[in-house]
């Protein structure tokens, strides 16, 4: 539309001069023309005219400085991505065999797993210019503005590639689900649909013989929310799953982020990796950073194992709370956590990594158990062990304090979810079942009876070790925290 603006302005100006020459009063016309010009300027520059998106790696830099080796623990994703990119680099082969160009790669996975890093490394690998934006930058109240921004993004990528003398450009859109969600869901609001349509148009227009070849890499943690039109072949042809790192991956990532930090001799990164099941790359980066901050605060020269341990707890549970619980509350918390810890140690010897009753952001106290290994499948016994550990907090409160508190709510939820998993996995007395065909109430009954049985088991387990329970509670109240080894030293009853 803006292409015709100079022509319209010229014709308008000519007409006004002609009318003035014929003696017509042109002042009102000039007045309205002025208002329209101001509105057009405002519309273009303030609403639609977000003139540039982030050129990650810096406009002046030729490419983002990230390479695939800077990304830890994503071997499968890196290989899949590299394979797709190899194919882009072989332009002659593509042309010779008449292959349709790869237009889009979708990186799907939880937050903080390195999707942005992968896109940047892809730019370096293919020697492409790199322009990045987030899906939310395209969401506007005004119809048409998002679509205009999509056009600008592709235009900017081409322009940057030309400026940097590159034959290809990578456009990276993070949180693509914000602009690429299923169409027709935003009732009464055509803006989202128009923006997505424009993205589809831009993708369809990408060709191998363009002066600058553009590849779109998008990231999402909600691939299920994307419009099917985006996922059909010819758009995002490749989907690369970027999962949370496993133990080896976590070790690699920790290695990468401690490269520039002096580590004390007692630091065992393997142990830290084992203790951080479920952490993303971003969590691990933050963990190492927190440990270094703690070392600096203490005036130390090196990051020690203790700093890293403290940082794990901090990343999991947030900062320490300002308001500390009162004496009664604290005793209840200590009893509750002692119950979890004793049951955890009995069911899986050596598994308790720390017991803590110092209140932090999300929890008043907690027991951290190490994972033997990252498990994807569980047997019935493993699930039952987990349920016993989850119930043990409330059961210990029952035994020592003669009643429970609201603190066990999330434990029960977790226990019930595990019990459900066990029943639906065909490992309960009901045998093999299908969730859809179970008569109403049967699942509930099966879960309830399983939980009741395990609650009685937990009660017997802890009641027989009342002395140990009291001893652990006393030390916890004194110290606020115990390491796994300190805790084990308190268990005079030999662990079976
Ligand atoms: P989001 O979905 O929230 O945008 P993302 O998957 O794009 O997250 P990144 O922005 O790539 O995550 O990662 C954030 C930070 O976490 C990185 O700057 C890096 O420090 C660290 N990080 C994440 N994953 C890895 C990894 N695999 N290797 C090394 N560092 C990582």
């Amino acid at each position: 539309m803006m292409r015709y603006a100079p022509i319209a302005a010229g014709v308008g100006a000519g007409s006004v001069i002609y009318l003035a020459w014929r003696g017509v009063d042109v002042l009102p016309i000039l007045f309205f023309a002025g208002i329209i010009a101001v509105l057009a300027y405002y519309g273009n520059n303030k609403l639609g005219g977000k003139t540039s998106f982030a050129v990650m790696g810096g406009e002046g830099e030729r490419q983002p400085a990230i390479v695939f080796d800077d990304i830890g623990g994503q071997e499968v994703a890196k290989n899949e991505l590299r394979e797709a990119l190899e194919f882009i680099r072989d332009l002659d082969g593509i042309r010779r065999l008449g292959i349709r160009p790869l237009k889009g790669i979708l990186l799907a996975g939880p937050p903080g797993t390195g999707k942005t890093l992968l896109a940047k490394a892809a730019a370096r690998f293919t020697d492409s210019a790199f322009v990045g934006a987030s899906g939310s930058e395209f969401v506007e109240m005004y119809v048409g503005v998002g679509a205009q921004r999509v056009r600008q993004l592709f235009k900017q990528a081409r322009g940057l590639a030309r400026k940097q003398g590159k034959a290809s450009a990578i456009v990276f859109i993070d949180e693509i689900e914000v602009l690429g969600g299923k169409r027709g869901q935003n009732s009464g609001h055509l803006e989202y649909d128009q923006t997505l349509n424009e993205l589809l148009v831009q993708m369809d227009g990408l060709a191998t013989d363009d002066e600058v070849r553009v590849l779109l890499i998008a990231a999402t943690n909600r691939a299920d929310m994307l419009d099917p039109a985006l996922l059909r072949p010819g758009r995002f042809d490749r989907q690369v799953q970027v999962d949370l790192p496993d133990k080896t991956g976590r070790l690699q990532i920790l290695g990468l982020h401690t490269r520039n930090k002096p580590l004390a001799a007692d630091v065992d990164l393997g142990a830290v990796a084992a203790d951080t099941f479920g952490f993303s790359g971003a969590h691990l980066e933050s963990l190492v950073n927190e440990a270094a901050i703690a070392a600096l605060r203490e005036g130390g020269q090196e990051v020690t194992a203790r700093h890293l341990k403290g940082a794990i707890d901090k990343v999991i549970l947030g900062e320490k709370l300002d308001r500390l619980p009162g004496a009664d509350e604290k005793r209840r918390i200590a009893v509750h956590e002692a119950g979890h810890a004793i049951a955890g140690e009995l069911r899986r010897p050596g598994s308790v990594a720390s017991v803590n009753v110092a209140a932090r952001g999300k929890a008043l106290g907690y027991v951290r158990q190490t994972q033997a290994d990252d498990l994807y499948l569980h047997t019935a016994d493993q699930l039952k062990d987990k349920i016993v550990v989850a119930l043990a907090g409330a059961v210990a409160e029952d035994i020592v304090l003669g009643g429970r508190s609201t603190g066990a709510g999330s434990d029960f939820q977790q226990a019930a979810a595990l019990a459900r998993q066990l029943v639906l996995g065909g490992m309960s007395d009901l045998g093999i079942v299908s969730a859809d065909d179970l008569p109403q109430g049967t699942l509930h009954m099966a879960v309830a009876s399983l939980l009741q049985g395990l609650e009685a088991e937990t009660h017997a387990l802890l009641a027989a070790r009342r002395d140990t329970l009291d001893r652990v509670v006393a030390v916890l109240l004194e110290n606020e925290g115990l390491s796994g080894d300190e805790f084990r030293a308190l268990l005079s009853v030999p662990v079976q």
Side-chain angles (χ1 to χ4, degrees):
M1 195 185 75
M2 292 312 292
R3 266 179 296 170
Y4 304 115
I7 302 172
V11 171
S15 312
V16 168
I17 292 168
Y18 174 73
L19 289 173
W21 176 65
R22 294 294 301 265
V24 178
D25 180 8
V26 291
L27 267 181
I29 300 177
L30 286 176
F31 178 69
F32 282 116
I35 289 178
I36 288 168
V38 168
L39 283 178
Y41 174 84
Y42 182 76
N44 192 40
N45 286 291
K46 292 289 187 311
L47 303 177
K50 186 180 192 305
T51 43
S52 85
F53 292 91
V55 178
M56 299 192 191
E59 181 97 41
E61 270 177 56
R62 299 189 77 75
Q63 268 153 6
I66 304 287
V67 293
F68 279 121
D69 284 343
D70 293 330
I71 305 169
Q74 294 294 355
E75 291 316 312
V76 179
K78 280 198 279 187
N79 284 342
E80 279 183 26
L81 186 58
R82 232 183 265 143
E83 204 174 278
L85 297 171
E86 277 296 355
F87 153 83
I88 294 175
R89 295 209 300 188
D90 183 12
L91 193 57
D92 291 341
I94 294 178
R95 286 211 182 108
R96 203 174 51 246
L97 293 172
I99 296 172
R100 166 170 63 68
L102 186 66
K103 294 175 178 177
I105 299 177
L106 183 66
L107 306 175
T113 42
K115 297 183 289 296
T116 311
L117 295 182
L118 282 167
K120 288 183 179 174
R124 179 79 171 248
F125 186 71
T126 52
D127 191 23
S128 306
F130 183 89
V131 179
S134 165
S136 48
E137 290 179 58
F138 299 91
V139 177
E140 278 291 347
M141 287 297 292
Y142 305 96
V143 175
V145 173
Q148 193 185 336
R149 286 192 184 159
V150 170
R151 278 193 296 277
Q152 264 168 6
L153 179 65
F154 281 80
K155 199 171 143 199
Q156 191 187 337
R158 289 195 176 91
L160 184 70
R162 256 180 241 120
K163 204 164 117 197
Q164 295 182 342
K166 305 213 179 286
S168 54
I170 285 186
V171 170
F172 175 64
I173 304 184
D174 203 0
E175 301 177 356
I176 183 112
E177 71 277 1
V178 178
L179 85 103
K182 294 193 173 91
R183 278 173 291 186
Q185 285 190 341
N186 301 291
S187 53
H189 205 314
L190 282 173
E191 165 61 2
Y192 287 91
D193 296 359
Q194 281 205 8
T195 309
L196 175 55
N197 285 340
E198 183 58 40
L199 183 66
L200 298 177
V201 168
Q202 290 290 332
M203 289 184 85
D204 286 344
L206 303 177
T208 356
D209 44 13
D210 284 349
E211 181 201 344
V212 173
R213 279 168 294 129
V214 178
L215 171 72
L216 176 63
I217 298 186
T220 181
N221 37 47
R222 293 300 309 272
D224 56 309
M225 275 175 56
L226 292 181
D227 194 285
L230 263 179
L231 299 174
R232 80 154 171 73
R235 304 253 168 76
F236 286 112
D237 290 293
R238 293 280 190 287
Q239 272 201 42
V240 176
Q241 189 63 32
V242 190
D243 280 324
L244 288 174
D246 60 9
K247 198 156 83 183
T248 331
R250 293 199 295 274
L251 181 57
Q252 273 181 25
I253 298 174
L254 286 168
L256 286 170
H257 288 290
T258 46
R259 273 187 305 202
N260 58 352
K261 297 182 176 62
L263 295 182
D266 67 347
V267 170
D268 174 7
L269 288 182
V272 179
D275 267 5
T276 45
F277 178 77
F279 275 42
S280 68
H283 281 133
L284 294 170
E285 192 269 338
S286 152
L287 156 78
V288 176
N289 205 43
E290 287 295 341
I293 291 173
L296 180 72
R297 270 197 200 137
E298 287 178 9
Q301 299 298 315
E302 290 176 323
V303 178
T304 66
R306 186 173 52 79
H307 293 137
L308 284 162
K309 256 201 161 74
I312 297 179
D313 297 341
K314 195 163 177 182
V315 172
I316 297 178
L317 297 152
E319 287 283 347
K320 279 197 176 195
L321 284 181
D322 289 339
R323 188 191 77 84
L324 286 172
D328 282 352
E329 252 180 336
K330 207 167 164 191
R331 180 166 157 74
R332 187 172 283 280
I333 297 166
V335 169
H336 187 100
E337 300 309 328
H340 280 313
I342 293 172
E345 192 63 27
L346 289 172
R347 287 302 178 122
R348 205 149 57 76
S351 68
V352 172
S354 73
V355 193
N356 219 303
V357 293
R360 280 166 193 257
K362 287 184 221 152
L364 293 170
Y366 64 94
V367 173
R368 195 156 49 76
Q369 277 193 285
T370 50
Q371 292 284 332
D373 255 314
D374 298 354
L375 292 179
Y376 296 101
L377 298 172
H378 291 95
T379 63
D381 283 344
Q382 285 164 342
L383 288 173
K384 284 182 185 163
D385 286 348
K386 283 181 162 215
I387 296 175
V388 165
V389 177
L391 296 178
V395 170
E397 285 186 53
D398 259 345
I399 294 174
V400 180
L401 303 167
R404 298 175 182 176
S405 65
T406 51
S410 65
D411 292 341
F412 292 156
Q413 265 179 13
Q414 192 196 350
L418 290 164
R420 225 179 114 88
Q421 233 179 322
L422 198 145
V423 174
L424 294 179
M427 293 179 276
S428 72
D429 294 342
L430 290 181
I432 297 172
V433 292
S434 146
D436 301 332
D437 303 335
L438 273 179
Q440 225 185 357
T442 309
L443 179 63
H444 171 74
M445 294 294 290
V447 167
S449 91
L450 189 67
L451 288 178
Q452 265 166 22
L454 289 170
E455 185 188 354
E457 212 175 292
T458 314
H459 200 281
L461 193 86
L462 292 180
R465 292 168 178 82
R466 176 67 203 256
D467 286 352
T468 315
L469 195 55
D470 288 339
R471 200 166 37 243
V472 174
V473 170
V475 180
L476 273 179
L477 286 174
E478 182 75 24
N479 295 0
E480 291 205 347
L482 284 173
S483 74
D485 290 336
E486 287 165 349
F487 166 69
R488 272 180 286 279
L490 286 174
L491 301 179
S492 62
V493 185
V495 173
Q496 300 114 25

